Short mmCIF file of all heavy atoms in Angstrom, two decimals:
data_model
loop_
_atom_site.label_atom_id
_atom_site.label_comp_id
_atom_site.label_asym_id
_atom_site.label_seq_id
_atom_site.Cartn_x
_atom_site.Cartn_y
_atom_site.Cartn_z
N GLN A 104 -3.76 11.76 1.53
CA GLN A 104 -2.50 12.35 1.97
C GLN A 104 -1.34 11.37 1.83
O GLN A 104 -0.66 11.37 0.81
CB GLN A 104 -2.63 12.86 3.40
CG GLN A 104 -3.67 13.98 3.54
CD GLN A 104 -3.76 14.50 4.95
OE1 GLN A 104 -2.77 14.58 5.68
NE2 GLN A 104 -4.96 14.87 5.36
N SER A 105 -1.10 10.54 2.83
CA SER A 105 0.07 9.66 2.78
C SER A 105 -0.29 8.26 3.23
O SER A 105 -1.22 8.05 4.00
CB SER A 105 1.19 10.21 3.67
OG SER A 105 0.81 10.20 5.02
N MET A 106 0.48 7.29 2.71
CA MET A 106 0.31 5.91 3.13
C MET A 106 1.67 5.27 3.33
O MET A 106 2.61 5.48 2.57
CB MET A 106 -0.52 5.11 2.12
CG MET A 106 0.08 5.02 0.73
SD MET A 106 -0.90 3.96 -0.36
CE MET A 106 -0.59 2.36 0.39
N SER A 107 1.77 4.49 4.42
CA SER A 107 2.97 3.74 4.72
C SER A 107 2.55 2.31 5.08
O SER A 107 1.75 2.11 5.99
CB SER A 107 3.74 4.38 5.89
OG SER A 107 4.87 3.60 6.23
N VAL A 108 3.06 1.35 4.32
CA VAL A 108 2.73 -0.06 4.54
C VAL A 108 4.02 -0.84 4.75
O VAL A 108 4.94 -0.76 3.93
CB VAL A 108 1.95 -0.65 3.35
CG1 VAL A 108 1.69 -2.15 3.58
CG2 VAL A 108 0.63 0.08 3.15
N ARG A 109 4.08 -1.57 5.86
CA ARG A 109 5.20 -2.46 6.14
C ARG A 109 4.66 -3.89 6.11
O ARG A 109 3.94 -4.29 7.04
CB ARG A 109 5.81 -2.13 7.51
CG ARG A 109 6.46 -0.76 7.56
CD ARG A 109 6.67 -0.26 8.98
NE ARG A 109 5.41 -0.08 9.68
CZ ARG A 109 4.63 1.00 9.55
NH1 ARG A 109 4.97 1.98 8.73
NH2 ARG A 109 3.51 1.09 10.22
N GLY A 110 4.96 -4.59 5.03
CA GLY A 110 4.42 -5.93 4.86
C GLY A 110 4.06 -6.18 3.42
O GLY A 110 4.90 -6.03 2.52
N LEU A 111 2.80 -6.51 3.16
CA LEU A 111 2.33 -6.84 1.81
C LEU A 111 1.15 -5.97 1.43
O LEU A 111 0.18 -5.85 2.18
CB LEU A 111 1.91 -8.32 1.75
CG LEU A 111 1.24 -8.79 0.46
CD1 LEU A 111 2.20 -8.70 -0.71
CD2 LEU A 111 0.72 -10.22 0.62
N LEU A 112 1.25 -5.35 0.26
CA LEU A 112 0.14 -4.59 -0.31
C LEU A 112 -0.21 -5.18 -1.66
O LEU A 112 0.62 -5.25 -2.56
CB LEU A 112 0.53 -3.11 -0.48
CG LEU A 112 -0.48 -2.25 -1.24
CD1 LEU A 112 -1.80 -2.15 -0.47
CD2 LEU A 112 0.08 -0.86 -1.51
N HIS A 113 -1.47 -5.62 -1.79
CA HIS A 113 -1.96 -6.17 -3.06
C HIS A 113 -3.20 -5.39 -3.46
O HIS A 113 -4.18 -5.32 -2.71
CB HIS A 113 -2.31 -7.65 -2.90
CG HIS A 113 -2.90 -8.25 -4.15
ND1 HIS A 113 -2.12 -8.82 -5.13
CD2 HIS A 113 -4.18 -8.34 -4.58
CE1 HIS A 113 -2.91 -9.25 -6.11
NE2 HIS A 113 -4.16 -8.96 -5.79
N ALA A 114 -3.17 -4.79 -4.65
CA ALA A 114 -4.31 -4.04 -5.16
C ALA A 114 -4.52 -4.42 -6.62
O ALA A 114 -3.60 -4.33 -7.43
CB ALA A 114 -4.09 -2.54 -5.03
N ALA A 115 -5.74 -4.84 -6.94
CA ALA A 115 -6.04 -5.24 -8.31
C ALA A 115 -6.25 -4.05 -9.23
O ALA A 115 -6.36 -4.22 -10.44
CB ALA A 115 -7.29 -6.13 -8.32
N ASP A 116 -6.31 -2.85 -8.65
CA ASP A 116 -6.48 -1.63 -9.43
C ASP A 116 -5.41 -0.63 -8.98
O ASP A 116 -4.39 -1.01 -8.43
CB ASP A 116 -7.89 -1.08 -9.25
CG ASP A 116 -8.37 -0.26 -10.43
OD1 ASP A 116 -7.52 0.37 -11.09
OD2 ASP A 116 -9.58 -0.22 -10.70
N ALA A 117 -5.64 0.64 -9.19
CA ALA A 117 -4.63 1.67 -8.91
C ALA A 117 -4.51 1.98 -7.42
O ALA A 117 -5.49 1.92 -6.68
CB ALA A 117 -4.95 2.94 -9.68
N VAL A 118 -3.30 2.35 -7.01
CA VAL A 118 -3.02 2.87 -5.68
C VAL A 118 -2.58 4.32 -5.85
O VAL A 118 -1.64 4.61 -6.59
CB VAL A 118 -1.92 2.06 -4.98
CG1 VAL A 118 -1.50 2.73 -3.67
CG2 VAL A 118 -2.39 0.64 -4.72
#
Side-chain angles (χ1 to χ4, degrees):
Q104 297 182 35
S105 65
M106 61 176 291
S107 177
V108 177
R109 294 162 297 278
L111 173 64
L112 172 65
H113 176 89
D116 207 330
V118 172

